[in-house]
């Protein structure tokens, strides 16, 4: 099946998720449990928010550049699979993007070299505030707390926490944090009652680990000593994800697997300023990820050292795929043995070699059909960009930055997505790539581009032509993630 004709899971725990007409390309999170109508990916500010894989992805080391490692060795070229040679140049950088069934035409002039105007906080703050009010109006009753950070109300608590950290919203800080606490307390009660599915206890984006992490952040921001309690619950989950195959569907990816758990620990460390896991716990989880990947690669006779699958599919992108797993291993680089570091670099270079005209197919071995390609955070260049940003920060090798820049060029052309305003497969997820590139390069072009994408979100063309949202409040598919992006755009140098 091609990427065009089938439905690709972003947040699905099930290989056969229930119908979810409003997000055909990316069905709902929990097996048999549609997303609660109402919350957003702000994560990857996350994953696109700061908590979200994205913020993380943006600056997993809190802006500090880790020491450069010894030069990694690459696999001999003869051991890599044959592939079509991609064009290693930005995709027609000066041209404007054409409309397709997946994206609007990008009719904005590209950056002309003048200094980009600073953020217009006077205009943007009321827009963000009004969007938050809309989200809060559309929250479901807090008895239902399924869906985790990705699509559940926990994502709204994260968004409120994220906005409350921004000085521009200081007058609303207390109100937002109190609202976040009400929501996250309900999520905690849901977890304590055993409301979460057993398989998602240690899940970052779809389950318990994400809920405990956000609770710790909100409590700490409110100055409550109680923040140690959810933090303790979070730590206990390291035992849950210790067994090599603790999930039948795949134990290593970002949404429910070990990479997500490590991602949450990284966010907690950055936001709380303290280590949450012991070095022994971190090493143990990294070793499990490595061993799992080695065993799978050997079993499937891959010509590269680390590979994973999720529900039997060998995804490459950020949502369930190789890129976010490798990104997390690079984020804990100092905990890896030199031989394992080398395996990670070989896998990063293998993934770089799978590029097809500045993009990657959702699954290993697929050929991209240009008219229908996925240019999403979940599947494609806008999510994989974060791996190469991290690889560049760790190694300082320019080819990784060049790859990241090509991802940004494609996103400028094809990132005005019709699937909504969100992070997972929407306009905010695209625009976060520009914030990432701005933080990497300091080039004002990227702020300009992020501002244009933000502007597009409020046009009649977008409102009339984008798909109706199933969940307005979702952190990854709805407006909570958009709010995180708009907040970060107001303080582009604050990204951590
Ligand atoms: Zn998606």
């Amino acid at each position: 099946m091609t990427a065009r004709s089938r439905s690709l899971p972003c947040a699905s725990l099930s290989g056969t998720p229930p119908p979810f007409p409003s997000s055909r390309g990316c069905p709902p999170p929990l097996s048999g449990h549609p997303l609660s109508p109402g919350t957003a990916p702000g994560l990857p500010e996350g994953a696109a928010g700061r908590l979200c894989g994205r913020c993380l992805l943006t600056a997993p080391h809190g802006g500090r550049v880790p020491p450069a490692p010894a030069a990694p060795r690459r696999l001999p070229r003869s051991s890599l699979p044959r592939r079509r040679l991609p064009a290693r140049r930005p995709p027609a950088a000066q041209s404007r993007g054409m409309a397709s069934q997946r994206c609007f035409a990008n009719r904005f002039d590209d950056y002309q070299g003048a200094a980009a105007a600073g953020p217009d906080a006077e205009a943007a703050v009321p827009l963000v505030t009004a969007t938050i009010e809309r989200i809060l109006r559309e929250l479901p009753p807090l008895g239902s707390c399924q869906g985790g950070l990705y699509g559940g109300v926990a994502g709204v608590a994260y968004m409120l926490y994220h906005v409350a950290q921004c000085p521009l919203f200081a007058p609303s800080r207390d109100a937002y944090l109190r609202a976040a606490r009400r929501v996250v307390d309900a999520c905690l009660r849901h977890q304590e009652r055993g409301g979460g599915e057993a398989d998602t206890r240690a899940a970052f984006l779809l389950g318990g680990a994400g809920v405990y992490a956000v609770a710790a952040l909100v409590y700490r921001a409110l100055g409550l000593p109680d923040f140690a309690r959810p933090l303790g619950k979070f730590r206990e989950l390291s035992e849950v994800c210790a067994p090599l195959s603790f999930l039948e569907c795949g134990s290593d990816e970002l949404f429910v697997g070990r990479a997500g758990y490590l991602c949450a620990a990284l966010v907690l460390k950055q936001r709380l300023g303290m280590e949450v896991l012991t070095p022994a716990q971190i090493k143990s989880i990294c070793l499990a990820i490595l061993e799992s990947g080695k065993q799978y690669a050997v079993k499937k006779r891959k010509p590269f050292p680390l590979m994973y699958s999720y529900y039997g599919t060998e995804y490459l992108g950020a949502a369930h795929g190789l890129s976010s797993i490798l990104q997390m291993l690079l984020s804990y680089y100092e905990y890896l043995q030199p031989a394992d570091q080398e395996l990670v670099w070989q896998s990063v270079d293998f993934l770089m070699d799978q590029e097809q005209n500045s993009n990657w197919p959702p699954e290993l071995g697929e050929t991209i059909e240009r008219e229908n390609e996925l240019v999403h955070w979940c599947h494609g260049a806008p999510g994989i960009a974060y791996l190469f940003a991290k690889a560049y920060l760790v190694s300082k090798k320019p080819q990784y930055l060049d790859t990241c820049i090509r991802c940004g060029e494609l996103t400028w052309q094809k990132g005005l997505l019709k699937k909504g305003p969100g992070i997972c497969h929407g306009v905010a997820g695209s625009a976060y790539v520009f914030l990432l590139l701005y933080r990497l390069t300091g080039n004002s072009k990227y702020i300009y581009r992020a501002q244009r994408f933000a502007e597009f979100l409020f046009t009649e063309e977008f409102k009339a032509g984008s798909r109706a949202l199933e969940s307005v409040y979702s952190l990854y598919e709805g407006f909570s993630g958009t709010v995180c992006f708009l907040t970060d755009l107001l303080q582009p140098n604050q990204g951590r």
Side-chain angles (χ1 to χ4, degrees):
M1 240 185 208
T2 65
R4 177 179 51 193
S5 59
R6 63 151 184 230
S7 181
L8 292 168
C10 291
S12 175
L13 254 185
S14 160
T16 54
F20 195 40
S22 74
S23 45
R24 257 183 326 192
C26 302
L30 302 173
S31 171
H33 298 278
L35 289 173
S36 339
T39 314
L43 182 169
E45 146 235 290
R50 251 164 227 162
L51 198 159
C52 100
R54 272 151 185 272
C55 266
L56 280 190
L57 305 188
T58 298
H61 283 268
R64 288 173 292 109
V65 178
R73 283 192 289 136
R74 296 184 59 139
L75 282 174
R77 298 296 302 188
S78 58
S79 67
L80 295 173
R82 290 176 182 275
R83 64 184 180 83
R84 295 186 301 114
L85 285 176
R88 287 298 178 118
R89 60 180 185 273
Q94 296 307 313
S95 69
R96 300 178 190 182
M98 303 288 287
S100 75
Q101 68 179 57
R102 297 194 182 279
C103 67
F104 297 94
N106 182 351
R107 298 191 184 88
F108 291 111
D109 290 330
D110 202 355
Y111 180 62
Q112 298 298 316
D120 183 358
E122 207 167 300
V125 167
L127 276 177
V128 172
T129 303
T131 308
I132 293 173
E133 287 169 0
R134 179 185 173 194
I135 289 168
L136 293 178
R137 281 197 305 272
E138 301 213 18
L139 275 186
L142 291 181
S144 168
C145 291
Q146 292 175 340
L149 280 175
Y150 183 98
V153 295
V156 177
Y158 175 76
M159 176 274 289
L160 291 166
Y161 163 81
H162 185 66
V163 177
Q165 306 311 300
C166 175
L168 292 169
F169 295 90
S172 302
R173 180 180 186 275
D174 290 346
Y176 287 163
L177 287 177
R178 285 197 302 273
R181 186 185 180 186
R182 279 196 302 279
V183 172
V184 86
D185 278 349
C187 295
L188 286 174
R189 288 194 296 273
H190 181 75
Q191 287 294 319
E192 299 304 312
R193 287 195 306 264
E197 294 190 359
D199 277 358
T200 60
R201 272 194 302 158
F204 175 35
L205 295 185
L206 295 186
V211 168
Y212 290 127
V214 173
L217 294 176
V218 171
Y219 285 14
R220 175 70 172 266
L222 282 164
L224 303 173
D226 254 8
F227 85 95
R229 192 168 49 84
L231 212 49
K233 294 281 188 184
F234 177 85
R235 285 194 195 95
E236 291 171 11
L237 294 172
S238 67
E239 295 299 316
V240 173
C241 57
L244 214 54
S245 298
F246 80 102
L247 294 175
E248 277 187 33
C249 59
S251 305
D252 300 289
E253 53 78 85
L254 186 69
F255 281 40
V256 297
R258 279 181 282 259
Y261 186 73
L262 287 180
C263 190
L266 205 54
V267 174
L268 286 169
K269 179 183 175 182
Q270 291 172 354
R271 294 301 189 99
L272 300 178
M274 58 186 280
E275 288 287 357
V276 173
L277 301 177
T278 66
Q281 286 173 318
I282 293 170
K283 284 180 188 173
S284 169
I285 296 170
C286 288
L287 280 174
I289 293 175
L290 288 159
E291 186 57 30
S292 173
K294 289 177 200 172
Q295 288 188 12
Y296 185 87
V298 167
K299 182 178 164 189
K300 299 291 182 180
R301 301 186 178 188
K302 301 297 181 191
F304 50 97
L306 299 173
M307 191 59 208
Y308 306 85
S309 70
Y310 184 66
Y311 281 99
T313 300
E314 295 170 341
Y315 289 109
L316 297 181
H320 304 297
L322 181 62
S323 68
S324 51
I325 296 171
L326 294 175
Q327 183 187 332
M328 283 304 115
L329 291 173
L330 287 179
S331 297
Y332 291 90
Y333 191 74
E334 64 271 28
Y335 293 93
L336 310 184
Q337 293 296 315
D340 288 332
Q341 291 175 345
E342 185 172 313
L343 296 185
V344 172
W345 287 118
Q346 288 172 357
S347 302
V348 169
D349 288 346
F350 168 78
L351 188 54
M352 192 163 70
D353 281 343
Q354 304 310 300
E355 179 186 332
Q356 297 176 30
N357 293 307
S358 305
N359 202 9
W360 284 258
E363 294 178 36
L364 180 63
E366 284 187 329
T367 298
I368 291 177
E369 297 171 37
R370 300 298 290 178
E371 293 308 306
N372 237 333
E373 65 183 327
L374 299 184
V375 185
H376 300 169
W377 171 78
C378 51
H379 300 290
I384 289 178
Y386 295 92
L387 167 65
F388 292 109
K390 186 64 192 170
Y392 172 67
L393 290 172
V394 174
S395 73
K396 289 298 174 192
K397 291 193 168 189
Q399 63 264 37
Y400 299 132
L401 179 59
D402 291 345
T403 301
C404 203
I405 288 171
R406 287 196 299 277
C407 292
E409 295 303 323
L410 180 68
T411 305
W412 173 246
Q413 288 185 21
K414 297 193 172 184
L416 292 175
L417 299 170
K418 293 181 177 176
K419 283 184 179 174
I423 287 173
C424 191
H425 35 259
V427 175
S430 301
Y432 259 119
V433 176
F434 305 136
L435 290 184
L436 169 74
L437 282 163
Y438 175 68
R439 291 164 189 164
L440 278 175
T441 67
N443 189 335
S444 297
K445 171 173 79 172
Y446 298 115
I447 289 295
Y448 169 89
R449 288 179 171 184
Q451 289 172 342
R452 299 292 76 72
F453 273 37
E455 187 181 320
F456 187 74
L457 286 166
F458 297 95
T459 62
E460 286 305 317
E461 182 182 11
F462 177 74
K463 290 175 187 169
S466 61
R467 190 173 297 168
L469 284 179
E470 181 79 10
S471 174
V472 166
Y473 60 80
S474 162
L475 184 60
Y476 273 81
E477 296 186 343
F479 279 104
S480 286
T482 316
V483 163
C484 288
F485 159 65
L486 294 172
T487 303
D488 286 338
L489 183 58
L490 286 168
Q491 43 180 3
N493 293 309
Q494 296 299 310
R496 292 187 292 168

